[in-house]
Amino acid sequence: QLRQLFGSAVPAFPPKFYLAMTKSMADERRSQLEQYLQNVTLDSNITNSDVFIGFFRKLQQDTFKIQTQRAFLDVYLADGSNIRLDIQTSDTAERVLEVTSCEVGLSRELIKYFSLFFFQDHDDGALSVVKKVADFELPYVSLQSMKELHCKLGIRKWYMDPSLDTLLMDCRASLNLLYMQAIQEVKRNWVKPTEGQMQELKFLQKNANKAKFLELIREVQFYGYIRLDPCICDYPEEGCSADIYVGNNEINCCIKLPTNQTKEVSFKINRLRSWQVTFLGAIKDGEEDTLEFRFEYNDSGTWQWIILYTKQAFLLSSCLKKIISEQMMKAAKEGQEMEIKMPESTKNSKKSSIQQKQVVHLGFVSRKRFLVRPNEDDCVFEKIREEDL
């Protein structure tokens, strides 16, 4: 049905296993579906269609043998508290987010600034955001399939531009959500305040001055970024490890070299041309499956591929798409303002230059049993309307 409606815009669906699935086969199947989703969700017309949503609801339930029935689902806030929702196992993330927002008092027009995420709380106090939950995904089903990872479902803000905080300050519910998340990120060392900033933040927290706290923390290094777990990279040489922060139009890497020296590198998004997520499988028996994230970067006038080996490759991909969509919406808004102010003779040339900056290449590939080759039509966004984003 999807092929009939959307033609070649729909990539080939990964093959099924017709025998009983082992754990490794189930993991591979999950990764294949994740890969397929990353490709097919490039087109919002597809993901918003009733056919697509119905198809993936059935697919997820059939894959993990979960029938539609009443269930309870815990959604965690950043302060560790949780909201227990009375749902159907077939409810999508979009529906669960709406119910959660209603429970916390978040106004409907602000829901778009938040999303559901799967995360892990580690014994050493570290926090890992595993992935963003897709709107059409069934959170209850996904949690059942991820039991061994001990994941929780939580609500977090979903934008990469910290200045957007200002749009949420007048709503008590959104202010509380931002404040709880900011406190969490300070406690988990996601942000890097100076000693002076830290003292002032503690004072504001003690006095429960949430608005001032959020105003100050926007000046703190790495606020508004998503921190990934430490991973392996091949830059500037193979065998390096890296702590990665993504946000504020950059991928910031604190790289530990084989010589134990450290080097901080900022990869600017406007110098990144394309990226790929690759499922490598387990490199050795008994090891977890490996994901490779590679991006093509202009370093001093030369394009080169830089590789990160991280289980959070899909999360990183989602972050980059979000950054770029925010950049393009901002450029489109500025373009509209320029058209109002600029004389007629200069409109066309300025509009043309803005469109040229909105060309973004995306690609997703797999090296295990299935291959998706993005073509030019699928990978390049040129004339993007605001509603498409």
Side-chain angles (χ1 to χ4, degrees), residues 72-121:
F72 292 101
L73 183 65
D74 291 328
V75 178
Y76 286 82
L77 307 181
D79 65 352
S81 63
N82 69 284
I83 301 168
R84 174 153 289 191
L85 305 180
D86 187 349
I87 64 155
Q88 295 290 311
T89 56
S90 58
D91 282 343
T92 62
E94 184 177 28
R95 171 63 180 160
V96 173
L97 180 61
E98 287 176 354
V99 176
T100 304
S101 300
C102 183
E103 289 289 330
V104 299
L106 185 65
S107 60
R108 179 170 291 274
E109 62 268 19
L110 297 181
I111 293 177
K112 62 184 179 182
Y113 295 104
F114 294 88
S115 188
L116 297 175
F117 292 82
F118 292 123
F119 69 94
Q120 294 171 309
D121 266 323

Side-chain angles (χ1 to χ4, degrees), residues 130-311:
V130 178
K131 60 168 284 189
K132 176 188 175 295
V133 187
D135 287 346
F136 51 82
E137 193 171 346
L138 311 185
Y140 181 88
V141 175
S142 293
L143 274 176
Q144 301 309 305
S145 70
M146 300 166 69
K147 274 186 174 178
E148 293 185 2
L149 298 177
H150 303 291
C151 286
K152 296 178 180 178
L153 181 68
I155 182 172
R156 301 177 63 83
K157 68 180 183 182
W158 180 231
Y159 51 86
M160 308 303 294
D161 181 357
S163 68
L164 294 178
D165 278 5
T166 57
L167 302 178
L168 283 67
M169 302 297 282
D170 293 334
C171 171
R172 179 180 295 181
S174 58
L175 176 67
N176 287 337
L177 290 173
L178 293 181
Y179 181 69
M180 286 187 285
Q181 186 171 327
I183 293 291
Q184 181 193 58
E185 292 178 4
V186 171
K187 289 182 177 178
R188 303 301 181 99
N189 296 316
W190 275 33
V191 295
K192 304 292 182 183
T194 63
E195 186 175 340
Q197 287 174 328
M198 191 65 192
Q199 292 301 319
E200 192 169 353
L201 288 172
K202 287 181 178 179
F203 174 78
L204 293 171
Q205 182 182 356
K206 184 178 180 181
N207 289 278
N209 194 332
K210 299 177 183 179
K212 285 290 185 182
F213 185 97
L214 290 170
E215 183 180 336
L216 174 61
I217 202 170
R218 284 199 292 274
E219 302 173 6
V220 173
Q221 186 183 23
F222 297 138
Y223 175 72
Y225 288 60
I226 288 184
R227 181 178 179 177
L228 305 188
D229 295 342
C231 68
I232 304 298
C233 68
D234 73 342
Y235 184 91
E237 57 184 288
E238 291 186 2
C240 297
S241 61
D243 292 328
I244 298 175
Y245 295 81
V246 55
N248 196 27
N249 301 324
E250 69 167 341
I251 303 173
N252 186 285
C253 301
C254 183
I255 298 172
K256 186 175 181 180
L257 304 173
T259 58
N260 287 328
Q261 295 175 305
T262 58
K263 178 179 182 178
E264 186 170 333
V265 181
S266 173
F267 298 106
K268 301 299 182 184
I269 302 301
N270 61 3
R271 297 172 66 182
L272 187 153
R273 183 163 65 181
S274 61
W275 69 85
Q276 296 176 346
V277 175
T278 306
F279 175 64
L280 301 178
I283 297 176
K284 296 179 181 178
D285 290 340
E287 290 188 353
E288 293 184 8
D289 291 336
T290 303
L291 290 173
E292 173 192 280
F293 183 95
R294 60 168 59 205
F295 59 96
E296 195 175 11
Y297 191 74
N298 190 331
D299 188 6
S300 302
T302 302
W303 290 101
Q304 67 177 103
W305 286 96
I306 295 168
I307 301 175
L308 306 173
Y309 299 97
T310 169
K311 292 182 292 184

